[in-house]
Amino acid sequence: MDKAYVSPGNLVNILRNRELNFQKPNTTYLKKRQLYQHVYPNHTLYNIAISTCIFLKRFTPDGKHLVCFSRNQHALQLYTFLGPCSPKKPDNESPEAESGAIFQQFFSLKYEKILTFDPAELLCKDFCLVTSNQKHLILASACPSTASSAEACRYPSSLNCMANLDDITFYVMEIESGKICDRKTFKSDFIYLSHHSGVSLYGQFFAITSLQNQCIHVFQIKENGTFVGLRTIGWYNYDDDELELAKYEEFNEQFETRQRSHSAPPDAEWHGRAGIDLSRTLSLGSSTRLEVPSLSHRDPSLVDNPDEQSILFDDFKHTQPPLSGFKHRLLAYLYKKAKSVDDNGMALQNFYLTFSQFESLVLWKAQFLDETHLLVKLSSVECVTGRNTEGTNQTAFFVVYNIDTTMIIALYENTSEELLSLFEHHSESFRGPNYNEPANLNWTWSNNAFARLILKKQQYAVRNARNGGPSQAVKRVLAALPYSPQSFSESPYFDPSLFSYDEKAISASDRPKPCQDFPIKFYLRSTGELKFKINTNVPNRGGSRVSKRYATFIVHPDQPFMISLQHTLMQPTVVNFHVRSGEVE
C-alpha cells in the first residue's frame, strides 16, 4: 500500500498523490473509500424541527433522495438531497424557526404521494425497498382484516392460531414521478413487514413469506414496475400443481356421486375406468376424503419407492393438517438420506423417532440465494408466532430449496458448524447484491479481516458466557439468517478496515441501538487516531434520563452526512444532523 496515500496529512496533498501515483488494477474504488479517512462529519446540528413529515426512513442507493412517510402514515414524501455541507445560520430568527430552516437547506420536497385512503389502512414506516434498476420503490400497507379465521385459511396447511390478521398491500412506485405502477393485495394474512423480515428481493425476483398460509409467493418485477406471479411454494411445488389436484378432486366428486346412487358399479370396476388408485385416497374422516395424486410424471425417485410411500403416507393418515408439497419434499429428503446410510438401520430409526418433530415445523422466513435457490428457515409454531420470546435459543432448521426442480438441496440445524463455516466464508452471497456498485463496496466477514475479527470476538464472548457454549455461539450467529434485504448501510464510515468504533452503539444494520450517554467515537484503523465523534444527545436538555432511549442512524451512502433519530417512550423523536463543517484538513 502506498505510504504517501495513507499517511496523515493535508487533503490536497493526498489528492495530488492519488492523481500522480500509479494505482494497482482493480483498486480504484478501494482507494476512493480511503479518502473518507480525511472527509467525515465533524459537526452536529441538534434537535432539527421536521414539520411536514414524521418518519424518516432511508436514502435511496444513489444518495439523491430521502424517503419519508407523512405523519398520518397515508402518504410518502420524497425529498431531494441538496448537499452535506453545514448551512448558514439565518439572522434574527428564533431557535425553532432556525431549526426548521435547517431542514429546508439540506432537503427540498420533490413530491408527496397519497397511497392509502382508508383511515384504517396505514403505510408501514419500516418497509421501503428499492428495485435493482433503482427506478422504483416497493412499499407496504396493512389494514385490520374483517374476515373470519376459516376464511383466512386458504390451504389445508394454513395456520389457524394466527391472531391480528391484516389485509396487506404491496405497492411499486416510480421514484422519479411518484406514479403507482402496480399493487398486490393479500387478504387476511400475516406477513412480517418490519425491517423487511418477511420478504426477499434479488434482482427482479421478489418473494413474500405468508405465515398464515404457510407459503412463499414468488414474483418477478418487470422493468415497468409490474408484478408478475411466477409460483407459490408451500402447499404446491410446481406452478401447475393446483390444476393437477383439481382434476383429482373432480374424480373424487364423481366417485362419491356414483357411490350414493343405487346403480353405482363396484368400486374396483368404476375406479378402473376413472384411472385412480384407491390405495392413494386417504380417509380423513367419515365423510371427507383427500386425494393424493401420483407425482411420478414429475420425479419418480420421490414416490416410486414402496417403503418411502408407506412411511410418508401411513403417517399422513394421522396428521392434521395434511402434508404440504414442501413438507413432503423435506420428509422425502430426510428419508432417502437416512436410507442411504450404512449403519444397520440406525439412521432410519432416528428418522422414525424425529418424524413428528419435522412434520410439525412451519415456515418462518425465506431469502433468495440466487435466482433459482431459496434459503428457507423453519421452526416450531410457538417460536414463529412469537409465543416463545427466546427465539434465538430455540431449535430451527435451514433448507436450501431449488425453485426450478422443487428439490431439497441441503438441510442444516441452527447449531450446524458446516453452515456457520459457509456463512463466514461466503457471507456476501447471503447478504445479497449491492445495488450501488461499484461506488460502494459490500464489506462482509468473508472479505474483511477486521469484520471477521469482530465476529470471532463475539463468538468467544458467547462461548465463555454463563449460559453460553459452542452451540449457543453458533445459534447466535445463524440467528441473522435469512438476511432481510437492504438492511445494511454501505457507508464507508462503517467499514471496519477504515474505522474502529463501538459496534454496540452504532453499526451498519438499520436496527435501533441503545442510546449512549457519551459520544460515539470513530478511530482511524491505520493509526488509532481519533477522527470524529457522533453525539446523539441534545446538550443541556432537561428531563429525566431514566427512560430507555434508542437511536436509529440514517447514513448517506457516499457523503459525510448522517441523521440520528433518538426514540424515547412517550416523547417526540429527536432528530440530529451530523454534517461536514469548516475547512478541510
Side-chain angles (χ1 to χ4, degrees):
M1 185 177 295
D2 186 6
K3 296 182 179 180
Y5 183 86
V6 300
S7 61
N10 187 278
L11 184 60
V12 176
N13 294 333
I14 296 173
L15 292 174
R16 183 186 298 114
N17 292 334
R18 189 183 71 165
E19 182 178 356
L20 296 178
N21 293 343
F22 176 76
Q23 306 294 343
K24 294 181 179 179
N26 302 323
T27 63
T28 303
Y29 297 104
L30 292 175
K31 296 296 184 181
K32 177 183 176 181
R33 288 176 70 89
Q34 291 177 353
L35 273 179
Y36 290 95
Q37 297 175 106
H38 307 278
V39 180
Y40 43 81
N42 58 2
H43 180 64
T44 300
L45 302 171
Y46 296 99
N47 204 10
I48 304 299
I50 303 176
S51 57
T52 58
C53 63
I54 189 63
F55 301 116
L56 283 68
K57 173 56 182 173
R58 61 171 295 177
F59 283 100
T60 54
D62 56 12
K64 296 180 180 180
H65 302 100
L66 177 67
V67 180
C68 305
F69 295 98
S70 62
R71 187 179 299 272
N72 57 12
Q73 291 183 245
H74 291 297
L76 177 136
Q77 297 174 339
L78 193 72
Y79 288 85
T80 301
F81 181 60
L82 304 178
C85 295
S86 177
K88 297 181 180 180
K89 294 184 179 180
D91 298 330
N92 301 324
E93 289 193 6
S94 63
E96 292 78 8
E98 177 183 342
S99 178
I102 290 177
F103 183 84
Q104 305 301 328
Q105 295 185 46
F106 283 102
F107 299 99
S108 173
L109 180 63
K110 186 178 181 67
Y111 60 78
E112 181 176 6
K113 179 67 176 182
I114 300 177
L115 283 80
T116 63
F117 297 92
D118 186 347
E121 184 179 2
L122 303 178
L123 291 172
C124 179
K125 62 182 183 294
D126 288 328
F127 191 98
C128 179
L129 293 172
V130 181
T131 56
S132 58
N133 58 11
Q134 300 193 37
K135 295 181 180 180
H136 302 93
L137 293 176
I138 304 177
L139 308 170
S141 67
C143 178
S145 177
T146 58
S148 63
S149 58
E151 295 174 339
C153 298
R154 296 182 179 85
Y155 306 109
S157 59
S158 300
L159 300 181
N160 55 7
C161 59
M162 302 298 296
N164 303 323
L165 299 180
D166 297 320
D167 295 338
I168 300 173
T169 303
F170 291 91
Y171 303 86
V172 179
M173 188 183 75
E174 191 175 64
I175 296 178
E176 189 62 30
S177 64
K179 173 186 174 182
I180 302 299
C181 300
D182 200 358
R183 67 188 72 196
K184 187 69 177 179
T185 301
F186 297 89
K187 296 288 186 179
S188 303
D189 215 328
F190 192 100
I191 301 171
Y192 283 125
L193 297 179
S194 181
H195 303 289
H196 319 139
S197 298
V199 302
S200 180
L201 180 64
Y202 189 93
Q204 296 182 346
F205 296 96
F206 185 56
I208 303 172
T209 303
S210 168
L211 295 185
Q212 167 64 21
N213 295 295
Q214 285 295 285
C215 61
I216 304 170
H217 305 281
V218 180
F219 297 92
Q220 183 181 10
I221 301 179
K222 295 292 187 178
E223 287 294 323
N224 59 359
T226 57
F227 283 114
V228 177
L230 299 182
R231 66 181 61 191
T232 299
I233 303 169
W235 179 246
Y236 307 116
N237 286 328
Y238 288 94
D239 51 2
D240 62 342
D241 276 352
E242 189 172 4
L243 298 177
E244 291 288 327
L245 291 176
K247 179 180 67 174
Y248 286 103
E249 288 177 0
E250 182 181 356
F251 288 159
N252 284 337
E253 291 177 0
Q254 296 177 10
F255 173 70
E256 291 177 357
T257 301
R258 297 293 296 271
Q259 270 194 326
R260 288 193 294 268
S261 64
H262 296 287
S263 59
D267 292 348
E269 178 184 351
W270 183 89
H271 222 280
R273 293 201 303 266
I276 305 176
D277 183 6
L278 274 180
S279 65
R280 302 180 67 82
T281 302
L282 306 181
S283 178
L284 300 180
S286 58
S287 61
T288 304
R289 290 180 179 273
L290 174 67
E291 178 64 25
V292 180
S294 174
L295 301 180
S296 57
H297 66 288
R298 299 284 174 76
D299 192 350
S301 65
L302 291 179
V303 295
D304 287 349
N305 191 321
D307 295 335
E308 179 181 351
Q309 291 182 13
S310 175
I311 294 170
L312 297 181
F313 293 147
D314 287 349
D315 191 83
F316 195 124
K317 298 179 182 179
H318 307 287
T319 303
Q320 291 287 352
L323 292 175
S324 64
F326 181 84
K327 194 71 67 66
H328 175 270
R329 285 287 194 266
L330 175 62
L331 294 172
Y333 169 83
L334 291 173
Y335 173 78
K336 291 194 296 184
K337 188 174 182 179
K339 191 71 178 293
S340 63
V341 178
D342 186 12
D343 59 353
N344 296 325
M346 294 300 297
L348 199 59
Q349 183 178 0
N350 183 66
F351 169 77
Y352 299 148
L353 295 175
T354 58
F355 184 93
S356 59
Q357 178 185 0
F358 286 100
E359 182 192 24
S360 63
L361 293 175
V362 296
L363 293 175
W364 190 357
K365 298 178 182 179
Q367 77 162 105
F368 283 106
L369 296 178
D370 54 35
E371 295 181 352
T372 58
H373 292 89
L374 281 173
L375 179 67
V376 184
K377 187 176 184 179
L378 303 98
S379 189
S380 63
V381 176
E382 292 77 14
C383 187
V384 172
T385 57
R387 298 178 183 178
N388 193 327
T389 57
E390 298 181 357
T392 305
N393 297 324
Q394 298 301 309
T395 300
F397 295 89
F398 297 94
V399 174
V400 180
Y401 178 82
N402 189 301
I403 300 176
D404 294 337
T405 64
T406 76
M407 299 294 294
I408 303 294
I409 306 301
L411 174 68
Y412 303 98
E413 194 174 352
N414 62 341
T415 57
S416 171
E417 294 284 352
E418 180 182 358
L419 180 59
L420 177 63
S421 177
L422 291 173
F423 189 24
E424 290 179 353
H425 292 87
H426 305 280
S427 52
E428 68 276 0
S429 300
F430 290 91
R431 185 175 291 190
N434 180 11
Y435 294 148
N436 201 23
E437 291 181 346
N440 284 343
L441 176 66
N442 191 355
W443 56 267
T444 60
W445 299 328
S446 56
N447 60 22
N448 192 299
F450 297 100
R452 189 159 53 250
L453 180 61
I454 295 172
L455 174 65
K456 295 299 182 182
K457 289 181 179 179
Q458 294 174 351
Q459 292 179 329
Y460 178 82
V462 176
R463 287 192 182 98
N464 294 273
R466 181 176 181 181
N467 296 322
S471 61
Q472 290 298 322
V474 177
K475 284 185 177 181
R476 186 69 60 87
V477 176
L478 296 183
L481 293 177
Y483 267 139
S484 301
Q486 301 180 19
S487 58
F488 289 88
S489 171
E490 302 301 336
S491 170
Y493 301 111
F494 292 135
D495 190 343
S497 63
L498 299 180
F499 294 97
S500 173
Y501 52 88
D502 185 2
E503 295 82 10
K504 296 180 180 179
I506 188 172
S507 69
S509 175
D510 63 352
R511 302 302 174 97
K513 295 287 186 179
C515 197
Q516 306 292 333
D517 294 332
F518 46 84
I520 304 171
K521 300 178 181 179
F522 284 74
Y523 296 90
L524 198 62
R525 178 69 72 175
S526 58
T527 63
E529 177 188 359
L530 175 63
K531 298 302 292 185
F532 66 97
K533 303 177 182 179
I534 298 297
N535 190 7
T536 60
N537 301 305
V538 178
N540 302 323
R541 186 188 183 193
S544 175
R545 292 185 176 270
V546 178
S547 301
K548 289 186 177 180
R549 297 172 296 129
Y550 295 90
T552 303
F553 297 90
I554 303 174
V555 186
H556 195 278
D558 54 26
Q559 296 290 336
F561 185 85
M562 295 186 187
I563 303 175
S564 63
L565 309 175
Q566 187 180 127
H567 314 281
T568 307
L569 184 63
M570 303 301 293
Q571 294 185 19
T573 301
V574 177
V575 181
N576 302 325
F577 286 176
H578 309 276
V579 301
R580 178 71 179 174
S581 177
E583 297 181 357
V584 295
E585 55 181 351

